[in-house]
Amino acid sequence: MRLRLIRHATLLVEYGGQTLLVDPMLDDPGARPPIQNSPNPRNNPLVPLPFPAHQVGTGVDALLVTHTHSDHWDANASLLLNKQLPLLCQPDDESKFRAQGFTDLRPVLDETRIHDVRVNRTGCQHGKGEIGKRMAPASGFVLRTRGEPTVYVAGDTIWCHEVRDTLSRYEPAVIVVNTGSAQFLEGDPITMTADDVIHTCQAAPRAQVVAVHMEAFNHCLLTRAGLAFQLDAARVIDQVSIPNDEEWVEVGV
Ligand SMILES: [Zn+2]
């Protein structure tokens, strides 16, 4: 397997002979206003895609959408992607995709299959307390198939018992974490901080962690360099990849 960061949380994952497109955010830079009540009020997305939006879905076999906040699913995604592609999602989002014209919806209550790949949905806490409740529902997904390492796409979550339980239940070899420490003007972060990534590394010391969800959306304040600095100080940097947009991550390399 290998995976490629396109931008933010948008990934191409080549896995078990399939190419999955995860959380496509395909809008042009500045297409949308900043998130309300958030710091760093700049229009979103902050940076362009590394190649034209209509090319992102080329060669894709299926879509996997962790939740439908606008940094994971946007107008261009709905407009440009092939509506006949299998679309794996959390059950709460099925009607939204159907209304947008997608026809092959695969809501994942607990487990589904896409060809030979088993896909399990996992829990998230997209923030603490009241903010977390308002952000819900969000999901993560675990991919498994014969001959490939188990991959955990954690989704928009902070470090929490759901993540810890997923690590012990599935023992993933690859963990994609949405970091950036996204936050509003008040309250705690709603995606992983550097400390949350460190907890993840320490709980799964043999796993390769891939850190994304940075530098593309206004309220994500943690940068790649800031994350790397803190991971280095905590002596877990060697197990973490922090890809740039467009960059492939080779697993096990
Ligand atoms: Zn997000």
Side-chain angles (χ1 to χ4, degrees):
M1 73 152 297
R2 57 179 191 159
L3 62 85
R4 184 182 204 181
L5 174 63
I6 305 297
R7 175 181 64 178
H8 196 57
T10 307
L11 305 168
L12 283 171
V13 182
E14 294 182 353
Y15 194 80
Q18 307 285 307
T19 300
L20 306 178
L21 177 61
V22 177
D23 283 356
M25 172 177 76
L26 304 183
D27 279 356
D28 293 331
R32 285 173 273 134
I35 295 290
Q36 279 194 334
N37 299 316
S38 67
N40 185 34
R42 297 161 57 198
N43 286 351
N44 288 311
L46 301 182
V47 295
L49 286 163
F51 37 82
H54 66 269
Q55 287 179 13
V56 175
T58 305
V60 166
D61 298 302
L63 307 171
L64 175 62
V65 183
T66 62
H67 67 307
T68 54
H69 288 167
S70 65
D71 59 324
H72 297 257
W73 180 263
D74 62 10
N76 263 356
S78 166
L79 192 70
L80 298 175
L81 294 170
N82 178 347
K83 291 189 163 52
Q84 277 83 52
L85 284 174
L87 194 164
L88 287 73
C89 62
Q90 50 183 9
D92 287 283
D93 292 333
E94 180 182 2
S95 57
K96 179 173 183 173
F97 292 122
R98 196 172 297 287
Q100 293 175 355
F102 287 82
T103 56
D104 189 359
L105 295 170
R106 315 276 183 98
V108 186
L109 188 58
D110 176 43
E111 178 172 313
T112 192
R113 271 178 189 274
I114 178 93
H115 299 282
D116 290 333
V117 179
R118 286 168 78 183
V119 181
N120 287 82
R121 191 165 68 92
T122 62
C124 289
Q125 287 186 28
H126 196 351
K128 287 183 187 161
E130 275 308 308
I131 293 180
K133 281 185 199 150
R134 254 187 287 140
M135 293 294 110
S139 297
F141 292 91
V142 172
L143 309 177
R144 287 178 292 170
T145 195
R146 194 186 304 261
E148 295 274 36
T150 297
V151 175
Y152 172 30
V153 176
D156 271 13
T157 185
I158 56 174
W159 171 250
C160 59
H161 73 85
E162 287 87 347
V163 173
R164 195 173 49 226
D165 291 350
T166 301
L167 298 181
S168 41
R169 179 170 176 190
Y170 295 101
E171 298 184 334
V174 179
I175 307 167
V176 180
V177 291
N178 289 355
T179 175
S181 196
Q183 54 200 273
F184 297 99
L185 289 173
E186 292 181 355
D188 292 314
I190 59 171
T191 61
M192 285 202 181
T193 62
D195 277 345
D196 288 343
V197 180
I198 292 165
H199 283 307
T200 305
C201 292
Q202 291 170 339
R206 291 194 303 276
Q208 179 175 353
V209 175
V210 181
V212 301
H213 201 275
M214 284 172 286
E215 300 180 9
F217 221 72
N218 82 283
H219 67 334
C220 290
L221 303 183
L222 179 65
T223 62
R224 290 173 170 99
L227 175 64
F229 181 82
Q230 294 188 64
L231 297 179
D232 191 29
R235 297 171 189 266
V236 295
I237 188 78
D238 288 348
Q239 75 181 97
V240 184
S241 306
I242 309 177
N244 291 312
D245 293 354
E246 195 179 6
E247 195 175 329
W248 287 98
V249 177
E250 301 285 345
V251 171
V253 175

